[in-house]
Amino acid sequence: MAKSQFRPAVSAFLLMVTMSLISTALSFFVVPVCSDLGFGRGSFTLYYSLMVAAGAVSASFLGTYMNKHGVRGVILVSGIWCGLGFLGLSVSSHLWMFYLLGAAMGLFGSTCVYLAANVIVQQSYSSQQASAVLGLVMAGSGIGGVIWSNLVPMLLENFGWRMSYRILGLCWLTLPILATLILGKQEMTGAFGHGVAISGGMSKKEAVKTGKFYLAVAVMCVISSASCISQQLPALLENLGHGDINKLISIMTAGIAVGTILEGLLCSRLGIKYTMILILCTYAAGFLLLAANSAVAVALVCLAFGSGSITTLMPIVVRTIFGGREYAAIWSVVISCSSVASFIGAPVWGMVYDFSGSYRPALMVMPVVLAAGIACLFGAFRNIED
């Protein structure tokens, strides 16, 4: 692999570190903000749902735009837009302010940078290279999670939640700009880079008319609803009586980093279908262990492997089933649909606690939901050579 081919991977990696500012760092704000302003956890985390919903609305448009014009403009807008959004969160005092800013940030937030990172990889490497490269790139979300899970609690303790939001905003402003500089102009086009030809497959219009598309969407929705636990994880671990929460969160985020790499390697060995089945079973085991409050560190690693499949394995599922002809456009629709599951799932986790005083009922239900996801996966891969 030529040296120039490392640039897309490094750029995409930085975008995944950026994404973890929302997927990991924001979860630490639930307890201090709710305690300071008197919000219920379910009511407060609705702003995250609005963020996800806005991302669902913008994803399909962004995917089409990236296919035609490249990713540079979108990445730069994300840096400025969400940097200002974090600044707005730092001066918010009412729920409606958090809701408004959450919805605004979602337009060019985590969904945007994740989609850009994915498109960079899929358009810069062959299908044989993409699974391994994607595993390494998506480890950025786990490595970023390790950084934020150690840094954010320290910031909250020393500077308070308002100043901490501002510091995170500066990070979001800086990282996407750095990613565009590393990528360079020649990789910013909509065409596949480095001589990689677009593989055959379906158009977006053809894909959405098939049953396999909706089964793939169902699998993505199942995993997305399960991963919403991340926004409640510090509060959940506190509810279970664990003291060293920062250490446990670091274990999980490190697990995401390691898991995404291993998932990419397993995919090359076992194929995407059987790798997905293995990871979803592992995910279910993690929820059961957490519900029993047993082997919590192991449970968190299992959850890390499961949640990491959204960024590492599901893009390969979509490319395997539908091909690369209009990959970005099809994948953006899948993300949009799964965002609805996240929109519902995020406040539900908080509401379960508000009504029952425990997260255990939700933990017990998730293995059943994941089993349904495995059934949908078999249907999506029917008559597909893996």
Side-chain angles (χ1 to χ4, degrees):
M1 187 181 293
K3 288 183 178 180
S4 63
Q5 285 190 270
F6 287 102
R7 293 167 62 186
V10 173
S11 177
F13 180 89
L14 287 176
L15 292 177
M16 293 307 299
V17 173
T18 305
M19 190 191 82
S20 65
L21 278 165
I22 286 179
S23 62
T24 299
L26 286 187
S27 65
F28 289 94
F29 288 82
V30 174
V31 173
V33 173
C34 290
S35 298
D36 187 29
L37 300 179
F39 301 150
R41 293 178 186 179
S43 299
F44 175 66
T45 51
L46 183 58
Y47 92 99
Y48 179 77
S49 294
L50 293 171
M51 192 180 293
V52 171
V57 172
S58 64
S60 59
F61 300 104
L62 291 172
T64 301
Y65 179 89
M66 290 179 195
N67 247 6
K68 294 181 178 179
H69 306 290
V71 299
R72 182 178 187 176
V74 173
I75 295 173
L76 291 174
V77 169
S78 175
I80 298 170
W81 187 266
C82 289
L84 293 173
F86 274 102
L87 178 61
L89 290 175
S90 74
V91 297
S92 298
S93 299
H94 304 282
L95 278 174
W96 69 265
M97 299 173 74
F98 284 96
Y99 294 165
L100 180 62
L101 287 164
M105 290 174 67
L107 295 173
F108 294 97
S110 58
T111 300
C112 172
V113 293
Y114 165 62
L115 181 59
N118 207 282
V119 170
I120 288 170
V121 172
Q122 298 291 349
Q123 293 189 346
S124 299
Y125 303 97
S126 67
S127 57
Q128 290 77 18
Q129 294 172 322
S131 59
V133 173
L134 198 60
L136 292 169
V137 164
M138 296 305 160
S141 63
I143 293 173
V146 172
I147 296 171
W148 310 129
S149 63
N150 285 279
L151 178 62
V152 173
M154 182 183 68
L155 293 175
L156 290 169
E157 182 179 351
N158 291 283
F159 301 106
W161 62 269
R162 294 187 185 276
M163 180 57 71
S164 297
Y165 271 136
R166 292 167 192 155
I167 294 172
L168 295 187
L170 181 61
C171 293
W172 192 292
L173 176 65
T174 304
L175 288 170
I177 293 174
L178 182 59
T180 59
L181 292 175
I182 292 173
L183 188 58
K185 291 184 179 180
Q186 66 270 28
E187 284 81 30
M188 298 296 185
T189 64
F192 275 50
H194 306 294
V196 178
I198 299 177
S199 59
M202 299 182 188
S203 67
K204 173 183 168 182
K205 188 175 182 179
E206 292 169 339
V208 298
K209 293 180 179 179
T210 66
K212 293 180 183 296
F213 174 81
Y214 296 98
L215 289 171
V217 166
V219 176
M220 185 69 168
C221 288
V222 163
I223 303 172
S224 296
S225 62
S227 69
C228 289
I229 191 177
S230 64
Q231 290 301 308
Q232 298 286 337
L233 200 54
L236 185 152
L237 292 171
E238 182 181 356
N239 180 249
L240 292 176
H242 296 281
D244 200 352
I245 295 174
N246 297 344
K247 181 179 178 181
L248 290 171
I249 297 293
S250 295
I251 290 174
M252 181 175 177
T253 50
I256 293 174
V258 174
T260 52
I261 296 173
L262 289 177
E263 286 168 6
L265 295 174
L266 280 173
C267 187
S268 300
R269 299 272 181 156
L270 302 179
I272 181 60
K273 181 172 74 172
Y274 293 108
T275 301
M276 276 293 298
I277 293 170
L278 176 62
I279 294 302
L280 291 179
C281 289
T282 302
Y283 209 4
F287 281 107
L288 290 173
L289 287 172
L290 207 55
N293 201 8
S294 176
V296 173
V298 176
L300 293 177
V301 171
C302 291
L303 294 184
F305 278 39
S307 61
S309 65
I310 294 177
T311 57
T312 307
L313 298 180
M314 281 306 300
I316 302 173
V317 168
V318 170
R319 184 169 177 173
T320 300
I321 296 173
F322 303 108
R325 179 178 161 193
E326 290 191 11
Y327 168 80
I330 296 172
W331 179 235
S332 66
V333 176
V334 174
I335 292 176
S336 296
C337 294
S338 70
S339 295
V340 176
S342 297
F343 175 79
I344 297 170
V348 166
W349 280 97
M351 289 174 185
V352 168
Y353 175 84
D354 290 340
F355 284 111
S356 68
S358 171
Y359 292 98
R360 190 165 281 111
L363 294 172
M364 294 298 295
V365 168
M366 287 316 304
V368 179
V369 177
L370 289 166
I374 292 174
C376 291
L377 185 71
F378 275 107
F381 272 93
R382 186 178 180 183
N383 299 323
I384 297 291
E385 290 187 12
D386 181 12

